[in-house]
Amino acid sequence: MTTTTLPEKAQVERARPRLILVTLLTCQLMLILDITVMNVALPHIRTDLEFSATSLSWVMNSYTLVFGGLLLLGGRAGDLFGRRAMFIAGVLLFTLASLAGGLAPSAGWLLAARALQGIGGAMAGPNTLALLTTTFTEPKARIRVLALFSGMSSAGFAIGLIVGGLLTEWFGWRSVLFINVPFGLVIAVLALRYLPDLPRRAARLDLPGAVTATAGVAALVYGFISAASHGWAAAGTDIWLAVGAALLAGFVAIELRAPQPLLPLHLFADRNRAAAYLNVFLGPMAGMSMFFFLTQYLQDVLGMSSLATGFAFLPTAVLMFAMIRLIPRLLARFGPKPVTATGSVAMVTGLVLLTRLSESSGYFPLLFVAMVVMGCGIGLAFSPLNVIIMATVSPDEAGAAGGALQTMQQTGGALGLAILVTIFGTAARDTGGAPTHALVGGMTAAFAAAAVIAALTFLVALTFRSTRASR
């Protein structure tokens, strides 16, 4: 009697890398989408659950605060206790929290669910990147999958607005949380079946480092959130930022002496990796402003629906995805300096164009051109950074490096939004006049400040060594 066991097994083994890649990239897209998909639904959430104007921001902030504060711990815990187990546990917690959030009968219930989503995301996120790095070890394949991961992360911000608009318009705001449930369950099943269960290291978790890092990042993120809500002059803002800075200084001192540090500081010794980490911090400071302010401009000034607002970002999303295919070739041919520098220039150009917006500006040509340029710029400037940071990290430190990368990204985004929202509010008050006129005046001032931050990413990009990625 003939059997097909061996051919079928061979087919499964050939398909395994692709299934691993799909599993990990889908998880990353789900986590990133959750950051922006809620933006479009916020007005509906406020009405349904009776949020106040000031408390509504916590629908976003409760997730950001917990997610950003626990990323370093989640990454190092995966290094020590098993990345596959930590990844699956994080995905399942994120999925259950999404279900609970979609069923929320009250504002407090929803905020608690969002915080649990943040915990799950911090467990899964850095281990997603670590699993990619340790599974795809051949240099060319690693560069390709890291570029895909980075492109998925960047494009996810724009896609989240499109998906959020579609779901909110057709099925209501609860659907933006329920959509995570089937995806999360599929990811967990695929992870159980296909993800490698690598040997764990016999080591101890750096608990003093974990406490100071988690508390320090959480205090900084909370301070940035307070600045955005109450202004930089508020007493609470200064206190939280000072506490966060002190805790992080203590964290560095602990890491310098720890035999098995939560964050190996020698990761920053390589010039290219250190510059990439800095731009991972600066990039979201500038780039997030486009999504945050243009969402309001399209709806409050141009009068677009939530569905039309989502699709308005389609050029940016398409161009970001196009960069996914180009980045491995461009890095191999030119190296990181010209690729990231060109992207930074394009990003500055797009933000400068957005400073020309007025109450009478239509979508074409100004907004459309700015979104196209921004899509190219964000893709070229920031998609290579994951590759630069993770391509040469040792397997034992992949989780720590990935946690540091995503922590820099989250804190950069929170700080940037706090700075730009404060500039927006000040400029709007100084502009005066009709509400729409003040709104546009504040936005253009924020875009000008974002262009200055983007210019800093260009200066950092010039410090990259003129080396090419491994072929």
Side-chain angles (χ1 to χ4, degrees), residues 113-194:
R114 290 287 285 165
L116 286 175
Q117 280 186 303
I119 296 173
M123 294 167 66
N127 289 294
T128 301
L129 194 51
L131 283 163
L132 273 177
T133 304
T134 53
T135 301
F136 297 89
T137 56
E138 192 273 321
K140 187 175 181 180
R142 178 182 281 190
I143 289 172
R144 183 177 66 85
V145 299
L146 287 173
L148 286 170
F149 177 90
S150 186
M152 191 70 72
S153 301
S154 298
F157 286 103
I159 296 171
L161 295 170
I162 298 171
V163 172
L166 284 169
L167 292 175
T168 303
E169 190 84 8
W170 293 347
F171 304 110
W173 70 264
R174 295 179 187 273
S175 63
V176 304
L177 289 163
F178 287 143
I179 194 66
N180 291 329
V181 176
F183 281 102
L185 292 176
V186 169
I187 291 167
V189 170
L190 290 174
L192 283 168
R193 177 70 178 85
Y194 295 109

Side-chain angles (χ1 to χ4, degrees), residues 55 89 140 149 213 225 245 365 400 414 435 470:
S55 64
K140 187 175 181 180
F149 177 90
I225 290 169
S470 300

